[in-house]
């Protein structure tokens, strides 16, 4: 009896082994550092929402590809009127939401009206303010009219904030997201994971994966162990200090890519002594970018000299505007009336790049006479004190929005930079659709901002993903927030 | 206590010496460290222990020996302040419970039971979460937990002594109960409190390390042994030394304090040693 049983077990084990060897795995477990607060990307600013659902569960009219270019999404094609004010979109036929309801032009109209409604909770509502009307021409044609030309319109409607939702399900998307994407939401175990499954009737090309689980692990050491033990198959952006563990390990590969995160020493331009140009210039000269990049990102960050992503075609290198020169910094401080330096506070949000950069900058500034008191804060407190109430001297933060130089044209923005010249340039830029002219305007803005030393420009965050070596198709770059799984597959 | 007693208690000598060495290193960091602890130099990051850096350099190129000296001071300071809170509030409460009895005793004992019912670290996390992270709040969090410990020790010791004849004599002589507590009970339980203090000191250093490790204690650029462990954690697989150095420092300090505590108990009160401390120490 005993013999039979163990024989049966052995043959079952053999069967299992054979089937494993033959079948290519079609499931993936992705480690993510933060659990999303909700799963509705049109109702929250958190990047963690897009990480799970963008282009996986939800899709927009256009979609952003891994190089940041605009591709057709739910709209198969579109035409733009000569005055750049009217966009006519042709929609894909046979698209259904995961609850079985069909997708048509009415859903598009509903989506944009929901974004623009007075009680809208969309985090990027301002991006869509140019839309004046959304007209349904027929069930598969929709026309969007703008009140002013907007060079970023097609990009913005491809963001997670403008994914198409259905009137039948939109209210429940926070906990039970219903989209049109290649993966349908299955379940959300709070505090632990979100499970997605391939959506059978998906209109487009089917993804190779049949199941995707996002596992939330906030602690670096825990994530390292989960990767080493094979509990997760990869993570899209891992702490730089943990990368040497995986570097050279044949079971893993490290994908180094770009992000839209300009990391800056944000400076309260309205508060003395930072309202003095010489003081800001002195701080710029006191910053040793190479040391900060090496210390805070283990060399993976890319130096920036203004508020612009280095991989963007409009970028110009301004890192030498105020080169590292402590003597010059001291001289400038003396000119500004601070021969003995001054004291200030540096409020740091709870992210490793900010905390470590903060310590390094405090050490660098001390050498030119600026004594910084480091104040570590939690996110809620930072958002309240620094971002909302503008009660700060200095802070360190990564601005992760794509093409966000426009924040320098808003005098009410938290760092309080008020320069009519930049504001006029930005207005012209927004209304310009000619590429060459846009580039020229954007570069002029970058230069003025760099010369004014509005903030301390440190580095562009890198995206450093760690993945199982047998996985292909992940995006190395993050031109937009999200971990897009449509092309991810296992190879032998 | 004199040199002869010390010689008879080698445990006390070893424990006390090790503790004093660490305490002295910590105090020295106030006026001198090999390098300033805020001196960051990425160029010498992960320097191996050698002539320039006796214990190497950490992920920001800071000198590990300087960090450990300064971290030890933080750990000791937090633990000592917490003991001052514990003794300052706990001992009077315990004495009051012993001499008044009745409802006073009931309240003190129930308060102690309540505090003992929660693991100390949980209370500390609660306080640090409510009031925000920082060394000051760590002191309060650990100090609050020390209060019932010292209250119990003081009460137990005072009860044992108040049955002795000289206390009865003092009472007959017309001394008021608070005066008896102050003149006769307190001096006689002092050794108990000192012994308990050593134990609480080692627990306090552990608790501070724990709180800093989970990010609720000391905040950079100040440092503590627990904070160093936290910073080194994600580097453990590549640079284990960064975790081992502060980790070993904590272990050695705690062991030293425990040995010193045992030695002190034996040396200070042979009578209690014979009877067994467990009866009175709560």
């Amino acid at each position: 009896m005993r013999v039979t049983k163990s024989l049966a077990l052995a043959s079952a084990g053999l069967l299992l082994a054979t089937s494993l060897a033959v079948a290519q795995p079609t499931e993936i477990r992705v480690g993510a550092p933060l659990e999303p607060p909700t799963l509705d990307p049109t109702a929250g600013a958190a990047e963690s929402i897009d990480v799970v659902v963008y282009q996986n569960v939800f899709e927009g009219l256009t979609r952003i590809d891994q190089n940041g270019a605009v591709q057709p999404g739910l709209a198969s094609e579109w035409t733009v009127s000569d005055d750049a004010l009217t966009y006519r979109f042709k929609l894909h036929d046979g698209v259904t939401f995961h609850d079985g309801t069909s997708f048509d032009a009415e859903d598009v109209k509903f989506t944009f009206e929901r974004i623009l409604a007075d009680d809208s909770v969309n985090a990027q509502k301002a991006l869509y303010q140019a839309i004046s009307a959304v007209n349904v021409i027929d069930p598969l044609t929709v026309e969007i009219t703008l009140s002013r030309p907007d060079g970023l319109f097609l990009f913005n409607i491809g963001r997670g904030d403008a994914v198409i939702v259905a009137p039948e399900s939109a209210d429940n998307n926070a906990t039970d997201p219903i989209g049109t994407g290649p993966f349908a939401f299955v379940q959300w175990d709070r505090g632990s994971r979100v499970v997605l499954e391939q959506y059978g009737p998906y209109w487009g090309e089917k993804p190779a994966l049949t199941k995707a689980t996002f596992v939330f692990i906030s602690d670096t050491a825990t994530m390292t162990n989960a990767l080493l033990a094979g509990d997760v198959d990869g993570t899209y952006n891992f702490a730089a200090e943990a990368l040497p563990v995986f570097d050279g390990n044949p079971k893993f590969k490290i994908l180094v890519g770009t992000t839209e995160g300009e990391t800056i020493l944000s400076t309260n331009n309205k508060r003395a002594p930072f309202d003095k140009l010489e003081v800001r210039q002195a701080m710029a000269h006191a910053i040793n970018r190479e040391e900060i990049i090496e210390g805070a990102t283990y060399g993976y960050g890319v130096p920036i000299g203004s508020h612009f992503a280095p991989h963007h075609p409009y970028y110009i290198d301004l890192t030498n505007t105020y080169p590292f020169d402590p003597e010059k910094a001291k001289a400038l401080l003396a000119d500004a009336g601070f021969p003995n330096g001054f004291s200030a506070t540096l409020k740091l949000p709870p992210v490793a790049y900010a905390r470590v950069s903060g310590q390094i900058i405090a050490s660098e500034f001390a050498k030119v006479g600026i004594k910084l008191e480091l104040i570590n804060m939690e996110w809620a407190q930072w958002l309240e004190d620094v971002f909302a109430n503008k009660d700060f001297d200095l802070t360190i933060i990564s601005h992760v929005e794509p093409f966000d130089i426009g924040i320098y044209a808003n005098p009410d923005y938290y760092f309080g930079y008020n320069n009519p010249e930049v504001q006029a340039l930005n207005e012209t830029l927004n209304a310009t659709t000619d590429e060459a002219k846009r580039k020229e305007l954007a570069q002029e803005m970058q230069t003025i901002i760099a010369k004014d030393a509005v903030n301390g420009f440190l580095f562009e965050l890198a995206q450093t993903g760690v993945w199982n070596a047998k996985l292909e198709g992940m995006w190395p770059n993050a031109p937009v927030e999200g971990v897009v799984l449509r092309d991810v597959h296992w190879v032998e | 206590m004199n040199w002869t007693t010390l010689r008879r208690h080698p445990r006390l000598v070893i424990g006390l010496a090790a503790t004093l060495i660490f305490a002295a290193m910590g105090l020295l960091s106030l006026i001198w460290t090999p390098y300033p602890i805020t001196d960051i130099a990425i160029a010498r990051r992960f320097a191996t222990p050698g002539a320039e850096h006796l214990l190497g350099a950490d992920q920001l190129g800071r000198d590990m020996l300087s960090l450990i000296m300064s971290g030890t001071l933080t750990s000791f300071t937090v633990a000592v302040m917490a003991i001052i809170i514990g003794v300052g509030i706990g001992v009077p409460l315990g004495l009051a419970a012993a001499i008044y009895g009745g409802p006073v005793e009931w309240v003190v004992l129930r308060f102690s039971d309540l505090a003992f019912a929660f693991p100390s670290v949980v209370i500390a996390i609660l306080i640090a979460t409510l009031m925000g992270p920082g060394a000051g709040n760590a002191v309060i969090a650990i100090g609050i937990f020390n209060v019932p410990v010292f209250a119990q020790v003081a009460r137990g010791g005072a009860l044992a002594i108040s049955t002795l004849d000289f206390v009865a004599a003092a009472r007959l002589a017309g001394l008021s109960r608070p005066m008896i507590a102050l003149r006769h009970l307190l001096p006689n339980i002092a050794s108990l409190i000192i012994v308990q203090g050593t134990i609480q000191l080692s627990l306090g250093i552990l608790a501070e390390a724990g709180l800093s490790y989970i990010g609720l204690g000391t905040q950079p650029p100040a440092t503590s042994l627990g904070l160093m462990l936290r910073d080194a954690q994600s580097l453990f697989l590549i640079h284990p030394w960064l975790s081992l150095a502060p980790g070993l420092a904590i272990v050695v300090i705690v062991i030293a304090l425990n040995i010193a505590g045992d030695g002190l108990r034996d040396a200070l009160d042979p009578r209690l040693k014979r009877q067994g401390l467990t009866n009175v120490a709560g």
Side-chain angles (χ1 to χ4, degrees), chain B residues 122-144:
Chain B
V122 174
I123 295 193
I125 292 174
L126 179 76
I127 291 171
T129 314
L130 287 177
M131 306 198 302
N137 289 339
V139 166
I140 297 173
I142 302 167
I144 285 181

PDB file of all heavy atoms in Angstrom, chain B residues 122-144:
ATOM      1  N   VAL B 122       5.674  48.253  21.520  1.00  0.00           N
ATOM      2  CA  VAL B 122       4.402  48.676  20.932  1.00  0.00           C
ATOM      3  C   VAL B 122       4.012  50.046  21.483  1.00  0.00           C
ATOM      4  O   VAL B 122       3.604  50.940  20.736  1.00  0.00           O
ATOM      5  CB  VAL B 122       3.307  47.628  21.205  1.00  0.00           C
ATOM      6  CG1 VAL B 122       1.964  48.148  20.726  1.00  0.00           C
ATOM      7  CG2 VAL B 122       3.646  46.324  20.522  1.00  0.00           C
ATOM      8  N   ILE B 123       4.170  50.216  22.812  1.00  0.00           N
ATOM      9  CA  ILE B 123       3.862  51.518  23.418  1.00  0.00           C
ATOM     10  C   ILE B 123       4.760  52.596  22.813  1.00  0.00           C
ATOM     11  O   ILE B 123       4.309  53.684  22.456  1.00  0.00           O
ATOM     12  CB  ILE B 123       4.071  51.457  24.944  1.00  0.00           C
ATOM     13  CG1 ILE B 123       3.064  50.486  25.540  1.00  0.00           C
ATOM     14  CG2 ILE B 123       3.913  52.851  25.560  1.00  0.00           C
ATOM     15  CD1 ILE B 123       2.957  50.572  27.028  1.00  0.00           C
ATOM     16  N   ALA B 124       6.038  52.259  22.693  1.00  0.00           N
ATOM     17  CA  ALA B 124       6.979  53.235  22.152  1.00  0.00           C
ATOM     18  C   ALA B 124       6.600  53.624  20.731  1.00  0.00           C
ATOM     19  O   ALA B 124       6.624  54.799  20.365  1.00  0.00           O
ATOM     20  CB  ALA B 124       8.394  52.657  22.187  1.00  0.00           C
ATOM     21  N   ILE B 125       6.211  52.647  19.926  1.00  0.00           N
ATOM     22  CA  ILE B 125       5.815  52.944  18.545  1.00  0.00           C
ATOM     23  C   ILE B 125       4.585  53.840  18.552  1.00  0.00           C
ATOM     24  O   ILE B 125       4.497  54.808  17.799  1.00  0.00           O
ATOM     25  CB  ILE B 125       5.534  51.643  17.762  1.00  0.00           C
ATOM     26  CG1 ILE B 125       6.828  50.864  17.556  1.00  0.00           C
ATOM     27  CG2 ILE B 125       4.873  51.943  16.423  1.00  0.00           C
ATOM     28  CD1 ILE B 125       6.640  49.505  16.927  1.00  0.00           C
ATOM     29  N   LEU B 126       3.641  53.519  19.435  1.00  0.00           N
ATOM     30  CA  LEU B 126       2.416  54.317  19.522  1.00  0.00           C
ATOM     31  C   LEU B 126       2.754  55.776  19.836  1.00  0.00           C
ATOM     32  O   LEU B 126       2.295  56.699  19.161  1.00  0.00           O
ATOM     33  CB  LEU B 126       1.501  53.742  20.608  1.00  0.00           C
ATOM     34  CG  LEU B 126       0.185  54.495  20.816  1.00  0.00           C
ATOM     35  CD1 LEU B 126      -0.775  54.177  19.695  1.00  0.00           C
ATOM     36  CD2 LEU B 126      -0.434  54.161  22.159  1.00  0.00           C
ATOM     37  N   ILE B 127       3.588  55.973  20.854  1.00  0.00           N
ATOM     38  CA  ILE B 127       3.933  57.344  21.251  1.00  0.00           C
ATOM     39  C   ILE B 127       4.689  58.052  20.135  1.00  0.00           C
ATOM     40  O   ILE B 127       4.381  59.188  19.765  1.00  0.00           O
ATOM     41  CB  ILE B 127       4.770  57.323  22.542  1.00  0.00           C
ATOM     42  CG1 ILE B 127       3.873  56.865  23.697  1.00  0.00           C
ATOM     43  CG2 ILE B 127       5.352  58.698  22.835  1.00  0.00           C
ATOM     44  CD1 ILE B 127       4.618  56.608  24.964  1.00  0.00           C
ATOM     45  N   ALA B 128       5.668  57.360  19.553  1.00  0.00           N
ATOM     46  CA  ALA B 128       6.463  57.985  18.498  1.00  0.00           C
ATOM     47  C   ALA B 128       5.600  58.303  17.288  1.00  0.00           C
ATOM     48  O   ALA B 128       5.809  59.304  16.598  1.00  0.00           O
ATOM     49  CB  ALA B 128       7.624  57.084  18.109  1.00  0.00           C
ATOM     50  N   THR B 129       4.594  57.457  17.009  1.00  0.00           N
ATOM     51  CA  THR B 129       3.720  57.727  15.875  1.00  0.00           C
ATOM     52  C   THR B 129       2.843  58.937  16.152  1.00  0.00           C
ATOM     53  O   THR B 129       2.634  59.779  15.285  1.00  0.00           O
ATOM     54  CB  THR B 129       2.837  56.501  15.573  1.00  0.00           C
ATOM     55  OG1 THR B 129       3.645  55.348  15.596  1.00  0.00           O
ATOM     56  CG2 THR B 129       2.175  56.635  14.215  1.00  0.00           C
ATOM     57  N   LEU B 130       2.328  59.002  17.396  1.00  0.00           N
ATOM     58  CA  LEU B 130       1.438  60.110  17.744  1.00  0.00           C
ATOM     59  C   LEU B 130       2.191  61.433  17.781  1.00  0.00           C
ATOM     60  O   LEU B 130       1.703  62.452  17.304  1.00  0.00           O
ATOM     61  CB  LEU B 130       0.793  59.865  19.115  1.00  0.00           C
ATOM     62  CG  LEU B 130      -0.285  58.786  19.147  1.00  0.00           C
ATOM     63  CD1 LEU B 130      -0.792  58.605  20.571  1.00  0.00           C
ATOM     64  CD2 LEU B 130      -1.432  59.153  18.220  1.00  0.00           C
ATOM     65  N   MET B 131       3.389  61.426  18.346  1.00  0.00           N
ATOM     66  CA  MET B 131       4.094  62.688  18.559  1.00  0.00           C
ATOM     67  C   MET B 131       5.162  62.950  17.516  1.00  0.00           C
ATOM     68  O   MET B 131       5.840  63.973  17.577  1.00  0.00           O
ATOM     69  CB  MET B 131       4.725  62.692  19.949  1.00  0.00           C
ATOM     70  CG  MET B 131       3.696  62.396  21.023  1.00  0.00           C
ATOM     71  SD  MET B 131       4.216  62.879  22.660  1.00  0.00           S
ATOM     72  CE  MET B 131       5.712  61.974  22.864  1.00  0.00           C
ATOM     73  N   GLY B 132       5.335  62.014  16.597  1.00  0.00           N
ATOM     74  CA  GLY B 132       6.335  62.216  15.570  1.00  0.00           C
ATOM     75  C   GLY B 132       7.656  61.626  15.986  1.00  0.00           C
ATOM     76  O   GLY B 132       7.949  61.516  17.170  1.00  0.00           O
ATOM     77  N   PRO B 133       8.477  61.261  14.993  1.00  0.00           N
ATOM     78  CA  PRO B 133       9.754  60.647  15.315  1.00  0.00           C
ATOM     79  C   PRO B 133      10.729  61.669  15.899  1.00  0.00           C
ATOM     80  O   PRO B 133      10.549  62.877  15.740  1.00  0.00           O
ATOM     81  CB  PRO B 133      10.256  60.127  13.962  1.00  0.00           C
ATOM     82  CG  PRO B 133       9.527  60.920  12.935  1.00  0.00           C
ATOM     83  CD  PRO B 133       8.256  61.394  13.565  1.00  0.00           C
ATOM     84  N   GLY B 134      11.746  61.190  16.579  1.00  0.00           N
ATOM     85  CA  GLY B 134      12.755  62.075  17.145  1.00  0.00           C
ATOM     86  C   GLY B 134      13.313  61.477  18.425  1.00  0.00           C
ATOM     87  O   GLY B 134      12.630  60.701  19.097  1.00  0.00           O
ATOM     88  N   ALA B 135      14.551  61.864  18.753  1.00  0.00           N
ATOM     89  CA  ALA B 135      15.194  61.297  19.931  1.00  0.00           C
ATOM     90  C   ALA B 135      14.413  61.681  21.195  1.00  0.00           C
ATOM     91  O   ALA B 135      14.277  60.889  22.123  1.00  0.00           O
ATOM     92  CB  ALA B 135      16.636  61.775  20.014  1.00  0.00           C
ATOM     93  N   GLY B 136      13.888  62.923  21.243  1.00  0.00           N
ATOM     94  CA  GLY B 136      13.160  63.385  22.420  1.00  0.00           C
ATOM     95  C   GLY B 136      11.946  62.525  22.706  1.00  0.00           C
ATOM     96  O   GLY B 136      11.695  62.135  23.854  1.00  0.00           O
ATOM     97  N   ASN B 137      11.221  62.202  21.663  1.00  0.00           N
ATOM     98  CA  ASN B 137      10.038  61.375  21.858  1.00  0.00           C
ATOM     99  C   ASN B 137      10.398  59.936  22.187  1.00  0.00           C
ATOM    100  O   ASN B 137       9.657  59.247  22.883  1.00  0.00           O
ATOM    101  CB  ASN B 137       9.141  61.447  20.627  1.00  0.00           C
ATOM    102  CG  ASN B 137       8.476  62.802  20.509  1.00  0.00           C
ATOM    103  OD1 ASN B 137       8.365  63.524  21.504  1.00  0.00           O
ATOM    104  ND2 ASN B 137       8.072  63.163  19.320  1.00  0.00           N
ATOM    105  N   ALA B 138      11.549  59.505  21.688  1.00  0.00           N
ATOM    106  CA  ALA B 138      12.011  58.162  22.046  1.00  0.00           C
ATOM    107  C   ALA B 138      12.271  58.111  23.548  1.00  0.00           C
ATOM    108  O   ALA B 138      11.935  57.128  24.222  1.00  0.00           O
ATOM    109  CB  ALA B 138      13.267  57.799  21.260  1.00  0.00           C
ATOM    110  N   VAL B 139      12.845  59.188  24.090  1.00  0.00           N
ATOM    111  CA  VAL B 139      13.102  59.260  25.537  1.00  0.00           C
ATOM    112  C   VAL B 139      11.791  59.097  26.302  1.00  0.00           C
ATOM    113  O   VAL B 139      11.686  58.297  27.233  1.00  0.00           O
ATOM    114  CB  VAL B 139      13.757  60.608  25.915  1.00  0.00           C
ATOM    115  CG1 VAL B 139      13.715  60.815  27.413  1.00  0.00           C
ATOM    116  CG2 VAL B 139      15.181  60.663  25.401  1.00  0.00           C
ATOM    117  N   ILE B 140      10.776  59.849  25.884  1.00  0.00           N
ATOM    118  CA  ILE B 140       9.489  59.781  26.586  1.00  0.00           C
ATOM    119  C   ILE B 140       8.879  58.389  26.457  1.00  0.00           C
ATOM    120  O   ILE B 140       8.404  57.800  27.437  1.00  0.00           O
ATOM    121  CB  ILE B 140       8.532  60.848  26.016  1.00  0.00           C
ATOM    122  CG1 ILE B 140       9.119  62.237  26.285  1.00  0.00           C
ATOM    123  CG2 ILE B 140       7.143  60.708  26.623  1.00  0.00           C
ATOM    124  CD1 ILE B 140       8.358  63.353  25.619  1.00  0.00           C
ATOM    125  N   ALA B 141       8.935  57.844  25.233  1.00  0.00           N
ATOM    126  CA  ALA B 141       8.334  56.530  25.003  1.00  0.00           C
ATOM    127  C   ALA B 141       8.988  55.474  25.876  1.00  0.00           C
ATOM    128  O   ALA B 141       8.301  54.664  26.516  1.00  0.00           O
ATOM    129  CB  ALA B 141       8.470  56.162  23.526  1.00  0.00           C
ATOM    130  N   ILE B 142      10.309  55.479  25.925  1.00  0.00           N
ATOM    131  CA  ILE B 142      11.009  54.472  26.724  1.00  0.00           C
ATOM    132  C   ILE B 142      10.835  54.787  28.215  1.00  0.00           C
ATOM    133  O   ILE B 142      10.651  53.893  29.037  1.00  0.00           O
ATOM    134  CB  ILE B 142      12.499  54.411  26.339  1.00  0.00           C
ATOM    135  CG1 ILE B 142      12.622  54.093  24.850  1.00  0.00           C
ATOM    136  CG2 ILE B 142      13.234  53.372  27.162  1.00  0.00           C
ATOM    137  CD1 ILE B 142      14.009  54.316  24.269  1.00  0.00           C
ATOM    138  N   GLY B 143      10.873  56.087  28.553  1.00  0.00           N
ATOM    139  CA  GLY B 143      10.733  56.501  29.942  1.00  0.00           C
ATOM    140  C   GLY B 143       9.407  56.067  30.543  1.00  0.00           C
ATOM    141  O   GLY B 143       9.358  55.576  31.680  1.00  0.00           O
ATOM    142  N   ILE B 144       8.328  56.220  29.776  1.00  0.00           N
ATOM    143  CA  ILE B 144       7.012  55.837  30.290  1.00  0.00           C
ATOM    144  C   ILE B 144       6.990  54.365  30.655  1.00  0.00           C
ATOM    145  O   ILE B 144       6.424  53.957  31.669  1.00  0.00           O
ATOM    146  CB  ILE B 144       5.926  56.153  29.235  1.00  0.00           C
ATOM    147  CG1 ILE B 144       5.689  57.662  29.211  1.00  0.00           C
ATOM    148  CG2 ILE B 144       4.638  55.402  29.526  1.00  0.00           C
ATOM    149  CD1 ILE B 144       4.632  58.098  28.240  1.00  0.00           C
TER     150      ILE B 144
END
